[in-house]
Amino acid sequence: MRKRPVITAITLALLAGGAGSPAWSGERKLFENVRGWEVERNVGQTGRYTCQISYSYRDKDDDNAENAIVLSLDEGKVNLVLGYANWGWDKDETVQASFSIDKQVLYPKQGWTGEAKLLWSQLPDTVIPKLLKGKQIVLKFNDGAADFSIPGIADAYEGLKRCNAAASQDAPAPQASAVPAEKPNEIRLQAYFMGVILQKTAASCAVSTTAPQRAAIDAKVKALRTEFAAIDAAVQDEINKAGKLPDCPKDAAETATFDTEMKAYIDQGPEAFVASAEKRNAEREAVKKAEAEAKAKSEAEAKMRAEIETKMRAEAEAKSKAEAEAKARAEMEARIRAEVEAKLKAEAEAKAPKVEAEAKP
């Protein structure tokens, strides 16, 4: 599996129909929102299973990495797509991972198909009752695990059923001239999103930029926005979902990073920029990891030294106490001997005149 840096919330959302899943990858229309889940209907399709539910969130305990869950139904099956921003699967890569709901393992050797940030699998629809009572989906791989929160899934599933029921009652839409929607170019989409971040940072943060630099960024972002005009509304929606942007540089190091990325964005094309940005990001992460490991090692050594010093100090104090007690005991014994000898001497001296007197005729 290739490890790649976080792509963005946009890519996860727009590519949710990828990874070889039967999820409809064309245009979708919002049917309703249910407790944070989006219930969507696939435009241009009718039938019993034309809707899906999706939920995405950022994990505060995992550096705000995005997680996504997409669920749809098929005849006797549940199509499940799981997205995690730090995954980097090859296209059509297959992997086995046990499937659990909360702490109950349901399928110990479930097969999954991957692509980029996503894994897809089909499960028997008998899993639904347990899924609707669960709070968390857990995948366990040979080298790790991934968990996905599913709050409110029972209510979202009822919305999915309502959506499918409404779709099944509609007449089929004309398909003669329908053109399948093309999958967005992931790399160029990532370049667009990163350009928007640079553009917003230059406009609203205390960073040093020139008018020509800002104009160059604006021109590149405008060209990419034109390229993604058909999905720009969805792109902007995902930008809004991503939270507060930009996250302004907080120190000299972050300001230097912004300057580097800005110059690279201006000088390079979208594909070259994304490739170089990923390389720089990997290098920064390697430096951070090395610094964290060095810090952890230093703290461990300091802790060990402190423990050794504490132990040695305790041993020294115990030895000193023992020596003091031995000295006190020796002094007490000497004093007792001296007192006994003095008493015996006094008794002997008192007895001597009497003995002499008795010895005279």
Side-chain angles (χ1 to χ4, degrees):
M1 183 173 72
R2 294 179 290 108
K3 297 295 183 184
R4 298 172 61 186
V6 176
I7 277 196
T8 66
I10 295 177
T11 304
L12 277 177
L14 294 181
L15 302 183
S21 82
W24 175 254
S25 58
E27 183 182 357
R28 291 189 293 273
K29 181 179 180 180
L30 182 65
F31 180 76
E32 62 178 304
N33 283 307
V34 182
R35 296 188 61 184
W37 291 74
E38 290 187 349
V39 183
E40 296 177 303
R41 177 177 173 181
N42 301 319
V43 175
Q45 283 196 335
T46 58
R48 296 177 59 191
Y49 308 115
T50 63
C51 300
Q52 68 177 40
I53 55 175
S54 61
Y55 175 72
S56 64
Y57 64 95
R58 292 184 179 276
D59 190 344
K60 294 181 180 179
D61 296 327
D62 190 16
D63 295 328
N64 276 335
E66 186 172 14
N67 294 257
I69 304 98
V70 182
L71 183 147
S72 63
L73 301 177
D74 205 340
E75 195 66 45
K77 299 287 185 181
V78 173
N79 301 314
L80 184 63
V81 181
L82 300 175
Y84 174 50
N86 292 330
W87 277 341
W89 305 99
D90 292 322
K91 182 176 175 59
D92 297 328
E93 182 174 355
T94 58
V95 63
Q96 278 196 343
S98 67
F99 177 85
S100 303
I101 296 177
D102 298 332
K103 296 182 179 180
Q104 183 180 8
V105 178
L106 301 180
Y107 305 107
K109 293 184 179 180
Q110 182 65 24
W112 299 83
T113 301
E115 181 178 347
K117 310 299 174 185
L118 308 172
L119 281 179
W120 165 76
S121 188
Q122 272 195 334
L123 305 171
D125 61 7
T126 52
V127 76
I128 291 175
K130 293 180 179 178
L131 190 64
L132 300 186
K133 293 179 180 179
K135 297 180 179 179
Q136 190 178 62
I137 292 172
V138 180
L139 302 188
K140 287 190 177 180
F141 307 88
N142 291 332
D143 58 351
D147 56 80
F148 299 84
S149 296
I150 50 173
I153 190 172
D155 293 333
Y157 182 74
E158 291 302 315
L160 176 65
K161 291 197 297 183
R162 288 192 294 271
C163 180
N164 280 331
S168 65
Q169 296 174 4
D170 294 342
Q175 298 292 319
S177 60
V179 178
E182 292 186 4
K183 183 177 178 180
N185 183 299
E186 178 183 336
I187 301 299
R188 297 181 69 82
L189 184 60
Q190 185 177 355
Y192 176 34
F193 184 72
M194 295 173 78
V196 171
I197 293 177
L198 291 171
Q199 188 181 51
K200 289 179 177 290
T201 302
S204 58
C205 297
V207 292
S208 178
T209 59
T210 65
Q213 286 174 328
R214 294 191 295 274
I217 293 174
D218 292 345
K220 290 202 168 191
V221 170
K222 182 178 180 180
L224 288 169
R225 180 177 288 119
T226 301
E227 180 178 334
F228 295 111
I231 58 171
D232 191 56
V235 171
Q236 297 303 322
D237 184 51
E238 290 302 322
I239 289 176
N240 294 333
K241 287 182 182 179
K244 182 182 177 181
L245 289 175
D247 187 7
C248 294
K250 300 178 182 63
D251 52 34
E254 291 186 2
T255 300
T257 297
F258 166 77
D259 290 340
T260 298
E261 298 306 318
M262 176 185 66
K263 292 174 182 176
Y265 194 81
I266 293 171
D267 294 339
Q268 298 176 330
E271 291 81 2
F273 169 74
V274 170
S276 66
E278 290 185 350
K279 182 179 179 181
R280 287 189 295 276
N281 185 69
E283 291 171 349
R284 293 186 194 107
E285 291 301 319
V287 170
K288 288 181 182 178
K289 182 178 179 182
E291 290 175 347
E293 290 174 348
K295 182 180 179 182
K297 181 179 179 182
S298 177
E299 291 175 348
E301 291 174 348
K303 182 180 179 181
M304 185 178 295
R305 284 196 300 271
E307 290 174 350
I308 292 173
E309 290 172 358
T310 300
K311 183 178 179 181
M312 292 178 67
R313 187 163 49 249
E315 291 174 348
E317 290 174 354
K319 183 179 179 181
S320 178
K321 182 179 179 181
E323 290 175 346
E325 291 175 348
K327 181 180 179 181
R329 187 166 54 251
E331 291 175 347
M332 182 180 67
E333 291 173 351
R335 186 172 63 253
I336 292 173
R337 282 196 301 272
E339 291 174 353
V340 171
E341 289 173 355
K343 183 177 181 181
L344 292 172
K345 183 178 179 182
E347 290 175 350
E349 290 175 348
K351 186 176 180 181
K354 183 178 181 181
V355 172
E356 290 178 356
E358 292 176 349
K360 289 181 180 181

